[in-house]
Amino acid sequence: MSVYGSAAEVLFRAARPFLEKKYDEGNDQRFGYYSDDIPKNALWIHAVSVGEVQSAYPLLKEIRKENEQLPILLSTITKTGKSMSQRLMGDSVCRIYYPWDAPTILQRALDTLKPRAYVTVETEIWPEMLFQLSQRDIPAFLVNGRLSESSFKKYCRFKSFWSRVIRRYTAIMARTEAERERFIALGALPEKVCVTGDCKVDALIERKNSADLSELSAFFNHSDPVVLAGSTHEGEETFVFGAFQKLLDAYPSLRLIVAPRHPERAQALVQEAEALGLRGICLMSEPHSDWRVLIVDKIGVLFSLYGCAEAAFMGGSIAPKGGQNIMEPAIWGIPFCQGPDFRDFTEATEGLISAGLCRIVHTEQEIAQFFSAVLSASDRSVWKEGSRTFFERLGGASARSWQIIKGYMH
């Protein structure tokens, strides 16, 4: 047993009471006990939570296009991830909870499940699992491989260890060329790392095409222009409220939607807006038709709201949080601005700036100027065309990934 394996064995045994209290569902599976009715010799796809499940979904669809009979296990760690997989994937997969990364736990799990191949999504790299798969000659793949500059630097502190870990992957499918280079710099063999693109792009395209904006019609039964601030963090709303106030003289019918990253802050934002002298403020859960400022206190509606706005500000970027998912407004062809901290979305930001969809701002005055430029534009089709071209170039990652995986399966 390796040093890592020995430490993990002790850690997970000692932490079992805590883990069983934290996770109130599936603890037998988390400790490697799986019932006999779970399919054997399946393709095992691991997606830790909601975001990774959404990335895995278009890959699953590609698999099912070619093979409806292949048994597929979809493992998650969180209940929300499992619920999302149920909503997206229905009965096309068998859902399990992921076993903890300790030797005896994984031996039990793998002896029972006997997967024919193993796929992890994004940055789910579990050292002991990869070691045991390698010992059993089970191919392992990293799909939609994500390795930001900040994560790369952290891994490099223990480069000799992580180099041995990632070399156990049969193939690594990176989202971008920059990420491919980071995986190689960390120790992956160049011939095992390729660029396939971002599976989330495929998921976004499908999500947009299937979105039903009629559900929001009660909020938009008017022709007034709307600007939106999405996934905002504390302090950023002050910039947005100030920018909105600067625009009202020129655009008196303008409306503002603010969707905080943490919806439990919604009531505090109502109070802040009122203190600044704004009027017609309401919560999305308590709507009235003549609202001027709508504060979103619901989960799961932001993506569709982008499709109802003329322009957006993306949060987590003036507050130093690394940015938020800028691909969501971009897929709708909505021009957006964000602050200078977009370290978690560097490549996407650079691409969307080149496509004319993104601008970097630092102050409420710059936010106001950006919104004004969009609202006063005579031809907005340039943004729709820029979005279409951008996403056409990035789409197809799921199909490319499946062709690589399929080549190793027997």
Side-chain angles (χ1 to χ4, degrees):
M1 191 179 293
S2 68
V3 173
Y4 171 88
S6 299
E9 191 72 29
V10 172
L11 174 64
F12 282 107
R13 286 192 184 201
R16 183 162 187 167
F18 167 78
L19 292 171
E20 290 186 341
K21 184 176 180 180
K22 179 178 180 180
Y23 297 98
D24 60 357
E25 184 175 292
N27 277 300
D28 283 349
Q29 294 187 350
R30 297 179 197 274
F31 282 90
Y33 296 99
Y34 295 91
S35 61
D36 291 336
D37 60 344
I38 293 176
K40 311 301 185 288
N41 200 30
L43 172 62
W44 184 347
I45 301 175
H46 177 54
V48 59
S49 194
V50 171
E52 291 79 9
V53 168
Q54 290 172 333
S55 294
Y57 177 51
L59 174 63
L60 172 72
K61 293 196 71 174
E62 289 297 326
I63 297 170
R64 286 298 182 229
K65 283 181 185 177
E66 292 191 12
N67 192 330
E68 293 186 0
Q69 305 305 317
L70 175 67
I72 297 176
L73 295 179
L74 191 285
S75 63
T76 62
I77 289 179
T78 68
K79 282 201 299 186
T80 53
K82 183 180 180 182
S83 296
M84 176 62 74
S85 73
Q86 176 67 53
R87 184 165 72 84
L88 291 177
M89 304 173 186
D91 296 330
S92 62
V93 299
C94 175
R95 271 167 284 279
I96 61 173
Y97 281 109
Y98 193 73
W100 300 123
D101 200 50
T104 58
I105 294 173
L106 292 177
Q107 286 164 13
R108 270 196 304 271
L110 292 171
D111 285 346
T112 302
L113 299 175
K114 298 179 173 61
R116 70 174 67 184
Y118 169 85
V119 177
T120 51
V121 179
E122 299 201 357
T123 322
E124 278 292 287
I125 304 173
W126 291 99
E128 183 64 24
M129 174 65 91
L130 289 171
F131 171 75
Q132 293 208 23
L133 291 169
S134 177
Q135 291 291 98
R136 295 166 185 251
D137 292 323
I138 298 172
F141 306 93
L142 181 62
V143 169
N144 223 45
R146 181 165 58 90
L147 190 59
S148 67
E149 185 66 34
S150 59
S151 296
F152 171 69
K153 290 177 180 177
K154 292 176 183 176
Y155 282 121
C156 280
R157 295 173 189 168
F158 305 96
K159 183 176 178 180
S160 61
F161 171 75
W162 287 110
S163 175
R164 292 194 300 272
V165 171
I166 65 173
R167 285 192 178 200
R168 293 192 174 115
Y169 276 114
T170 307
I172 295 173
M173 288 152 262
R175 299 184 309 171
T176 65
E177 182 60 38
E179 284 163 313
R180 177 181 183 271
E181 292 173 0
R182 290 182 197 128
F183 279 115
I184 294 170
L186 191 58
L189 298 174
E191 63 270 22
K192 288 188 173 184
V193 189
C194 62
V195 178
T196 51
D198 192 341
C199 293
K200 279 187 175 175
V201 171
D202 298 333
L204 275 174
I205 292 171
E206 178 161 339
R207 193 176 173 193
K208 174 181 177 287
N209 291 340
S210 62
D212 183 4
L213 299 187
S214 65
E215 296 177 1
L216 299 172
S217 60
F219 297 97
F220 300 99
N221 56 352
H222 51 73
S223 58
D224 299 340
V226 174
V227 292
L228 187 154
S231 298
T232 54
H233 289 256
E234 187 172 0
E236 292 180 319
E237 296 91 0
T238 304
F239 285 78
V240 172
F241 290 144
F244 180 66
Q245 287 178 309
K246 293 179 187 299
L247 293 168
L248 289 177
D249 286 343
Y251 305 96
S253 63
L254 184 64
R255 301 193 184 209
L256 170 67
I257 300 173
V258 178
R261 180 71 177 84
H262 303 289
E264 62 269 19
R265 295 181 51 240
Q267 189 60 56
L269 295 180
V270 171
Q271 295 171 2
E272 179 181 349
E274 289 174 342
L276 291 171
L278 293 171
R279 296 292 179 264
I281 305 159
C282 76
L283 295 171
M284 192 172 193
S285 61
E286 302 172 2
H288 52 77
S289 59
D290 58 344
W291 64 270
R292 298 301 305 280
V293 178
L294 183 67
I295 308 296
V296 179
D297 57 348
K298 294 183 176 182
I299 295 174
V301 297
L302 178 56
F303 179 76
S304 295
L305 285 171
Y306 285 123
C308 303
E310 274 69 40
F313 165 79
M314 292 302 298
S317 56
I318 289 179
K321 302 296 183 180
Q324 296 292 337
N325 189 356
I326 58 177
M327 305 295 267
E328 292 193 349
I331 190 68
W332 290 101
I334 303 301
F336 66 92
C337 61
Q338 63 177 337
D341 187 5
F342 48 85
R343 62 185 182 273
D344 292 343
F345 299 90
T346 301
E347 290 85 3
T349 293
E350 292 171 351
L352 290 168
I353 289 174
S354 299
L357 285 165
C358 175
R359 183 180 299 175
I360 306 304
V361 295
H362 303 80
T363 65
E364 69 177 46
Q365 179 64 34
E366 291 180 355
I367 297 173
Q369 289 171 346
F370 173 77
F371 283 160
S372 180
V374 174
L375 293 169
S376 62
S378 58
D379 181 11
R380 301 182 187 178
S381 63
V382 62
W383 293 306
K384 301 290 185 185
E385 180 60 24
S387 172
R388 186 189 64 77
T389 302
F390 179 83
F391 284 100
E392 275 186 358
R393 179 171 53 84
L394 292 182
S398 304
R400 289 188 286 272
S401 299
W402 170 234
Q403 292 306 310
I404 293 171
I405 295 168
K406 184 174 67 171
Y408 289 92
M409 292 180 63
H410 304 289

